[in-house]
Amino acid sequence: MLDVRRLQMLRAVVTSGSVTAAATRLGYTPSAVSQQIAVLEKEAGAALLERAGRGVRPTAAGLLLTDYADAIGRQVAEAETALADLVAGRTGRLAVRYFATAGAALVAPAVARVRAEHPDVQVELKLIDPEDPLPDVKEGRADLALVVRPDEAAQDGVRLVRLLDDPYLAVLPKGHRLAGRRTLALADLAEEPWVGSEWPGPCLDAQLSACEAAGFRPRFVVESEDYVTAQGFVAAGLGVSLIPRLGLGSRHPGVVVREVRRPEPMRSIFAAVRETAPPAPAVRSFLEALREAAGEGGYTS
């Protein structure tokens, strides 16, 4: 196989017209350059240079390899530039996994910031409800994921960055006996029929844990696993529901929403990144924007 460094030495000799001039340009002795050219000729199986007066000129084989050496040199320079841009965060791909209710409030402003600060970075978004995105982060298929977790304990090679605590609010039919109160104790809903709003997983677990602390287990009469649909069921008088504040972007006209206390049901939202991933400017910008969006929404704990 032809050695790339020796090809560049050949190119230097051909373009400068002599071994001595090439050695001066490259910072080698003339004998070192001659030795490397001799090795390259053995690799090529052909003479590459011939004497011309006090200098040298390329043979047909030497001219052919010089042209390829020139192309290789340009490609290496382009590769170095592309690598520098990637390392500096000016180019590349940022793969993000998120769940629906985090999209408008958190993900949208973060994407806008990355596009402004790193316009040549391609942002790849994927909605993951109700899948667990942590395997994608662990295995490098995603650079960052938004997840709901009970705490920020280590997750096998994944670092969790706490963004906000998103409280659940009580959603009642208009005209409900509790609708006139500004806040409710969670136990006030113990005897009510409930409309489910969550997939099985950490969000539903947050609801059930709060209800358990209040001394009851909710009686679900309808399962919707969708916040908009859950509000429709509540408005129809089928039951009450708990919906996180981020999930109440558009409220059904047939419901009222009240804060809940003693205890206040809460889901904790984190950004997950790979523990061993090298620092990437685009990921840092995305995280900073997520934190800012969480703070501006008034949800940060």
Side-chain angles (χ1 to χ4, degrees):
M1 181 179 292
L2 299 176
D3 185 272
V4 173
R5 290 176 300 174
R6 295 189 185 109
L7 285 172
Q8 296 307 312
M9 283 190 175
L10 172 66
R11 177 174 174 269
V13 172
V14 171
T15 55
S16 63
S18 73
V19 170
T20 301
T24 301
R25 180 194 302 179
L26 297 174
Y28 291 101
T29 63
S31 62
V33 172
S34 295
Q35 289 172 4
Q36 292 301 310
I37 296 297
V39 173
L40 182 61
E41 288 181 326
K42 288 182 180 179
E43 293 175 342
L48 302 177
L49 298 172
E50 59 186 13
R51 292 196 174 277
R54 295 185 177 181
V56 293
R57 64 187 175 195
T59 63
L63 189 59
L64 175 71
L65 290 186
T66 298
D67 289 341
Y68 276 103
D70 186 57
I72 290 170
R74 290 196 303 271
Q75 290 178 332
V76 169
E78 290 171 3
E80 290 173 342
T81 300
L83 180 61
D85 286 341
L86 181 65
V87 171
R90 293 185 289 270
T91 62
R93 183 200 68 155
L94 176 63
V96 177
R97 307 292 186 259
Y98 72 103
F99 55 93
T101 53
L106 302 178
V107 176
V111 171
R113 174 164 174 172
V114 168
R115 285 184 174 172
E117 296 182 355
H118 308 281
D120 293 322
V121 172
Q122 178 184 355
V123 181
E124 174 195 285
L125 300 176
K126 183 178 179 181
L127 188 65
I128 47 84
D129 284 340
E131 302 168 13
D132 181 3
L134 289 186
D136 280 358
V137 175
K138 291 177 186 177
E139 296 165 19
R141 293 188 297 272
D143 300 295
L144 182 147
L146 292 178
V147 295
V148 174
R149 285 292 182 274
D151 55 51
E152 50 198 301
Q155 300 285 319
D156 287 336
V158 174
R159 180 169 62 94
L160 295 179
V161 179
R162 193 183 200 95
L163 296 176
L164 60 91
D165 289 332
D166 188 20
Y168 280 90
L169 304 175
V171 181
L172 313 172
K174 276 191 173 178
H176 190 277
R177 62 183 180 84
L178 299 173
R181 301 186 188 180
R182 293 186 60 186
T183 62
L184 303 175
L186 186 55
D188 293 335
L189 304 177
E191 302 303 320
E192 298 288 333
W194 280 52
V195 173
S197 65
E198 298 286 10
W199 293 92
C203 292
L204 179 59
D205 291 345
Q207 285 191 20
L208 297 180
S209 295
C211 292
E212 183 179 358
F216 73 98
R217 184 173 183 82
R219 178 173 58 91
F220 291 102
V221 296
V222 180
E223 298 285 354
S224 70
E225 298 169 342
D226 171 80
Y227 300 140
V228 174
T229 305
Q231 290 187 61
F233 285 137
V234 172
L238 299 181
V240 301
S241 188
L242 290 181
I243 295 180
R245 184 172 292 167
L246 281 181
L248 281 168
S250 97
R251 299 188 184 183
H252 194 289
V255 305
V256 294
V257 177
R258 297 291 180 262
E259 293 185 354
V260 180
R261 299 287 184 267
R262 301 195 306 275
E264 182 180 27
M266 193 83 67
R267 64 176 187 174
S268 297
I269 299 175
F270 297 86
V273 294
R274 197 164 76 257
E275 190 73 55
T276 57
V283 174
R284 284 199 301 269
S285 293
F286 203 92
L287 274 174
E288 290 170 4
L290 287 173
R291 288 191 178 113
E292 287 179 9
E296 289 169 1
Y299 304 121
T300 305
S301 58

